[in-house]
Amino acid sequence: MVDPKRMTVFITGASSGFGEACARRYATAGSKLVLAARRMERLDKLRKRLSVPSHLVKLDVRDRTSVEKAIAGLPKDFSEVDVLVNNAGLSLGLEPAHKTDLNDWETMVDTNIKGLMYCARLILPGMVERNRGHIINLGSVAGAYPYPGGNVYGATKAFVKQFSLNLRADLVGTKIRVTNVEPGLAETEFSLVRFKGDAERANAVYQGTKPVSAEDIAEVIFWISTLPEHVNVNRIEIMPVCQSFGSFAIDRETR
Ligand code: NDP
Ligand code: 8X3
């Protein structure tokens, strides 16, 4: 198994949800951490609860220059990234395509596609040089299965899935691993963000269910990255037991 004590783990979106849970999981195992997000006060609080060396980066992943500076400016002790948890992302809205705000679509593309792509592209050369590393992208079941209102969000996650597989294709002959982690219903701040602060609507998503927790996903991510180094999990899909698949929609009025 790969020793987590020897790992430097770079986590984007570490201020909440999966990213924060990953920070806590890797810290328990003794990894060094680079924690990135826009909300520094959250990262500060998190760092105080962790017992491992952590470097904080105020980062908006949509800003390519900031990502370049953050990665180029990593202190020497944190500069050899072994695991990138490429997690920062969001969904905005659940309206049908013709009613959505085009700005929301752009924000999702800029964050979930371009931000994720910048982080991967800028961290990869060091990994290839060291012939060691693991990129763990946060996809979603929404990237594989369509649902009403999933329009651009699901499409960004379909990008993440194919991008992850294509990275593996490019990296053949190296020891770099790439995994697309594809969660389903998971309770984090995801729905609060999707519904723009409407807590009632966000809570209703999880009401009466036992969703996957951020800790469940962090455990899966930790496991994937500590498997023996010849093992690559290409894609992994995780749903709570209470979630499953529905039938195709058929409208009997439309002809
Ligand atoms: P949260 O809203 O709890 O966390 C999202 C994180 O992303 C926050 O730390 C936020 O930090 C960060 N983030 C958002 N935009 C930016 C940005 N422009 N620059 C830097 N950081 C940003 O949601 P989750 O933990 O659930 O989401 C994490 C990932 O998992 C996302 O990619 C999401 O699409 C995916 N996912 C979530 C599922 C779910 O049901 N919860 C299921 C499947 C996938 P800050 O605001 O401080 O910048
Ligand atoms: C988040 C899961 O089903 O809300 O990616 O799109 S879902």
Side-chain angles (χ1 to χ4, degrees), residues 18 90-91 94 138-143 145 147 150 153-154 157 182-186 190-191 194 205-206 239 243:
F18 301 159
L90 80 175
S91 175
L94 197 60
L138 260 293
S140 167
V141 294
Y145 311 105
Y147 63 82
Y153 176 68
K157 294 303 184 179
E182 305 170 15
L185 186 74
F190 176 83
S191 293
R194 167 173 258 175
V205 172
Y206 310 107
M239 280 181 175
Q243 187 177 30

Side-chain angles (χ1 to χ4, degrees), residues 38 59-64 87-93 100-118 150-157 159-160 190 193-194 196:
R38 292 165 301 178
L59 185 64
D60 184 334
V61 294
R62 293 171 295 176
D63 180 347
R64 178 173 158 179
N87 161 77
L90 80 175
S91 175
L92 292 171
T100 51
D101 181 341
L102 198 48
N103 293 318
D104 286 349
W105 279 10
E106 273 187 343
T107 304
M108 289 189 277
V109 168
D110 289 348
T111 311
N112 302 355
I113 295 184
K114 292 169 77 177
L116 176 130
M117 190 177 86
Y118 298 152
N151 41 66
V152 164
Y153 176 68
T156 65
K157 294 303 184 179
F159 169 90
V160 175
F190 176 83
V193 173
R194 167 173 258 175
K196 304 180 178 175

Side-chain angles (χ1 to χ4, degrees), residues 35-54:
L35 305 175
R38 292 165 301 178
R39 289 172 293 177
M40 280 305 277
E41 66 290 352
R42 291 238 191 160
L43 295 184
D44 266 327
K45 256 195 205 161
L46 175 62
R47 174 163 59 181
K48 288 187 185 122
R49 298 202 307 268
L50 304 175
S51 52
V52 290
S54 314

Side-chain angles (χ1 to χ4, degrees), residues 23 26-33 47 50-55:
Y26 281 103
T28 306
S31 309
K32 256 193 288 186
L33 301 174
R47 174 163 59 181
L50 304 175
S51 52
V52 290
S54 314
H55 173 69

